[in-house]
Amino acid sequence: MFLLIPAARLFWFTFFDQNYSLDNVLEFPSYTAASIFPHGFLAFWIKYPLGFVNIIQLAYILILAKGISNDLEMKYSDSATLVFQTYGVALLIWILFTLFLLISYS
């Protein structure tokens, strides 16, 4: 699931746009919240967390909640709460840890 955007990026820069820089790869349209801001508008450290707010991540969370509600025979709202309390917190911890490393070593 999480490899869809990197695979599309790899495919694009391998076959279509072979003259690219690191900024081109990082700014590749991936339907994230960071892509709605103009290039150079955001600080370097804020681009990473905004990259997690995207359509694929939202779809994954909704599908995961639906799957849990079907398998455990729960209401969808209860399974969505469970997903946000577990997956959401773990994702937040990962983003904060990565931001700490990004800011510390830059």
Side-chain angles (χ1 to χ4, degrees):
M1 183 65 155
F2 299 110
L3 296 177
L4 291 177
I5 291 175
R9 184 179 299 148
L10 178 66
F11 180 77
W12 179 262
F13 288 111
T14 300
F15 295 108
F16 295 107
D17 187 10
Q18 296 176 354
N19 187 15
Y20 57 88
S21 67
L22 181 61
D23 285 336
N24 296 120
V25 174
L26 294 176
E27 299 293 328
F28 184 75
S30 57
Y31 307 107
T32 66
S35 66
I36 63 173
F37 296 101
H39 179 69
F41 182 76
L42 298 174
F44 74 97
W45 58 270
I46 198 71
K47 289 181 184 178
Y48 183 75
L50 286 179
F52 274 96
V53 180
N54 61 45
I55 295 170
I56 292 177
Q57 191 77 272
L58 179 64
Y60 179 74
I61 290 171
L62 296 175
I63 291 169
L64 185 61
K66 183 64 176 167
I68 288 174
S69 72
N70 287 344
D71 286 347
L72 300 180
E73 298 175 357
M74 300 171 65
K75 292 192 309 186
Y76 182 75
S77 60
D78 292 339
S79 65
T81 302
L82 177 67
V83 168
F84 283 116
Q85 288 176 345
T86 55
Y87 179 77
V89 171
L91 184 63
L92 179 65
I93 290 170
W94 175 255
I95 290 171
L96 292 176
F97 173 71
T98 307
L99 278 178
F100 171 75
L101 292 178
L102 184 66
I103 293 171
S104 296
Y105 293 109
S106 63

